[in-house]
Amino acid sequence: MSLEKLIEMNRTLIEHGKAGTMELVDDVVAIPASDYTDEDQFELEIERIFKRLPLTVAPSCELPEPGSYKAMDIAGIPVLVTRQKDGTAQAFLNSCTHRGNPVAQGSGKANRFTCGYHGWTFKNDGDLLAIASPQDFGAVDKAAFCLTKFPTLERAGLIWVTLDPKSTLDMEAFLCGYDEMLEHFGFKDWHLFEQRTLTGPNWKTAFDGYLDFYHLPVLHKDTFGADFFNRANYFAWGPHQRLSAPSVYAQKTGSDEKMDLSKMEEEDWPIEALTQGVWTIFPCVSIASFYGGGGRGAMISVLYPGKTVGESFTTQYYVMENEPTDDAVRQGAHDQFAFLETVVAEEDYKTGKRQHEALQSGLIDKVWFGRNEGGGQAFHQWVEKLVKADDAELNRIFTPQLQAAE
């Protein structure tokens, strides 16, 4: 069914491309400017969204083999993600069960983690392996001192984690079938080429840009070009969205040649044509396809709020369908990734920081989303809806059969 859905979306894009039209939502919508600047609102978003919902923490290829791990901080919570002996991914609270000191830093490969404070050692599946000087410390039940596990799910070459060990939210239900669509990229077999982390403005200000083609030929006139498209149709699976420009064309992999899809049989449409555009995973991930180095690539941007309302940070992963085998391909991919850093850091995020400073003046009470900005409207509606929802309502939202049973 997911392939049929991709084809159906492509038909819609082609028809609008032929007609020179796009899908518009019903009205222009205003959002309170304080939604971006209010510290209490920001804290609610941390608690109700980032500490309750499944978050994408890594592409699978970042942890390519058993023993691979990385330590990270999300919304003030230290997280350790590992690839276990059986090949599954698992996330833990990166906190020794003795005194709370982190047991891992950075990333790499390890079958065990030893706390640098007192030497307690844990296996990469979280089990407590040994404590230092047990004859002096006293008897402990090792099974009661394992690292705290977070709910973890790996789908479509991506790893999701819920930062609440007691969460009852169905992670698969939260994805609303979106993971089936993402499977068509084939990320689980792709190669991680490069990654970096950028600082940005308020997390919603930053994320608005990923849901907006309207700004492309204006803000990015010197990079993408002033004749770049500025229209997008939006497709939704719960809070997750795909944006794609209405057009009859798709770029042919490995060249500047464009394919006229309207003149091809549907069965001949290549997968890269069916997945073009920007795919966003609520609340904080953007996936965009590129072709640097002559082959299929994608930039997966994972965006988290910072310590204050005006800060965020984004880890950009440049993944490639095939690992580069020669210098020309490698340099092409590197150049593509460097170009994207300029676009995001020097244009999108610098603009977002200036925007945030202006909103903090308190002299602007609303910001606006047009009928051509349906993706941004939907995003803010979902933020409001989920911030207001208690835990029981949250489960009902993403598991409709629970609501039907009541």
Side-chain angles (χ1 to χ4, degrees):
M1 291 296 293
S2 59
L3 181 59
E4 286 82 353
K5 178 63 176 178
L6 286 175
I7 292 172
E8 177 188 328
M9 288 188 287
N10 217 42
R11 291 190 196 115
T12 299
L13 293 168
I14 289 172
E15 289 305 311
H16 277 283
K18 287 179 178 178
T21 57
M22 64 178 294
E23 293 182 357
L24 300 170
V25 294
D26 293 338
D27 296 300
V28 176
V29 169
I31 303 294
S34 59
D35 278 7
Y36 295 93
T37 60
D38 184 80
E39 294 184 2
D40 291 337
Q41 172 70 20
F42 175 69
E43 292 301 326
L44 275 175
E45 291 163 0
I46 297 295
E47 295 299 320
R48 294 299 188 99
I49 292 178
F50 288 90
K51 292 185 179 180
R52 290 200 304 172
L53 298 181
L55 304 175
T56 311
V57 297
S60 297
C61 54
E62 189 181 11
L63 304 174
E65 57 189 349
S68 299
Y69 76 90
K70 77 166 181 176
M72 59 194 304
D73 183 276
I74 307 173
I77 297 177
V79 179
L80 172 63
V81 189
T82 72
R83 178 76 65 193
Q84 300 179 105
K85 187 177 181 180
D86 64 0
T88 60
Q90 179 61 54
F92 306 91
L93 180 66
N94 185 15
S95 182
C96 179
T97 48
H98 174 215
R99 295 282 190 85
N101 188 58
V103 300
Q105 293 81 39
S107 61
K109 187 175 180 181
N111 292 320
R112 60 185 62 181
F113 303 97
T114 299
C115 177
Y117 193 6
H118 294 96
W120 284 34
T121 300
F122 301 83
K123 295 191 291 184
N124 85 337
D125 64 2
D127 287 353
L128 176 60
L129 183 64
I131 68 174
S133 304
Q135 71 280 5
D136 299 329
F137 187 86
V140 298
D141 178 5
K142 290 181 181 178
F145 286 86
C146 299
L147 295 178
T148 300
K149 286 186 176 182
F150 290 126
T152 306
L153 178 70
E154 188 166 18
R155 289 286 189 277
L158 300 167
I159 301 170
W160 280 268
V161 173
T162 304
L163 300 181
D164 177 3
K166 298 179 181 179
S167 174
T168 59
L169 179 62
D170 186 325
M171 298 178 77
E172 293 188 14
F174 167 77
L175 294 177
C176 303
Y178 196 60
D179 52 321
E180 296 178 15
M181 309 305 299
L182 295 175
E183 284 281 5
H184 290 283
F185 281 95
F187 287 143
K188 63 184 178 182
D189 299 316
W190 283 33
H191 166 71
L192 176 58
F193 178 69
E194 283 187 26
Q195 68 183 84
R196 60 176 169 242
T197 299
L198 309 176
T199 59
N202 169 269
W203 76 274
K204 289 185 297 186
T205 301
F207 204 63
D208 281 344
Y210 295 104
L211 290 161
D212 171 13
F213 284 9
Y214 188 33
H215 76 281
L216 294 181
V218 180
L219 181 60
H220 303 306
K221 64 183 183 301
D222 297 324
T223 46
F224 288 141
D227 59 347
F228 208 67
F229 51 78
N230 71 347
R231 289 176 164 180
N233 282 6
Y234 301 86
F235 307 92
W237 296 258
H240 318 295
Q241 300 189 59
R242 177 197 178 191
L243 297 74
S244 195
S247 175
V248 300
Y249 296 107
Q251 184 177 349
K252 188 174 183 179
T253 300
S255 75
D256 294 329
E257 180 184 349
K258 289 187 176 181
M259 300 175 286
D260 187 338
L261 301 177
S262 67
K263 297 180 179 179
M264 298 171 60
E265 296 295 329
E266 290 185 357
E267 59 265 28
D268 295 328
W269 289 345
I271 196 64
E272 58 264 32
L274 296 176
T275 56
Q276 64 184 341
V278 175
W279 298 72
T280 63
I281 306 171
F282 192 89
C284 59
V285 175
S286 163
I287 301 171
S289 297
F290 295 97
Y291 302 97
R296 288 181 70 201
M299 187 166 74
I300 302 174
S301 301
V302 181
L303 188 159
Y304 295 126
K307 293 182 179 180
T308 69
V309 66
E311 300 174 332
S312 65
F313 63 94
T314 301
T315 300
Q316 296 177 325
Y317 302 90
Y318 195 82
V319 297
M320 302 182 70
E321 185 175 21
N322 299 300
E323 182 175 1
T325 56
D326 62 65
D327 291 341
V329 173
R330 193 174 296 107
Q331 186 61 48
H334 177 78
D335 292 345
Q336 176 73 80
F337 198 41
F339 168 78
L340 295 172
E341 180 176 23
T342 297
V343 170
V344 176
E346 299 301 318
E347 296 177 351
D348 288 303
Y349 285 4
K350 275 192 175 180
T351 297
K353 290 175 183 179
R354 290 193 296 267
Q355 176 188 349
H356 188 80
E357 290 174 358
L359 294 179
Q360 282 185 310
S361 71
L363 298 177
I364 299 174
D365 62 344
K366 296 176 181 177
V367 298
W368 298 87
F369 290 80
R371 296 182 64 203
N372 59 337
E373 298 177 294
Q377 290 192 24
F379 168 68
H380 285 276
Q381 290 163 3
W382 272 100
V383 170
E384 181 181 15
K385 179 178 183 178
L386 296 176
V387 164
K388 290 180 178 179
D390 61 22
D391 289 348
E393 177 63 17
L394 185 68
N395 280 288
R396 287 194 292 269
I397 288 170
F398 291 109
T399 314
Q401 57 265 36
L402 292 179
Q403 186 141 21
E406 292 183 352

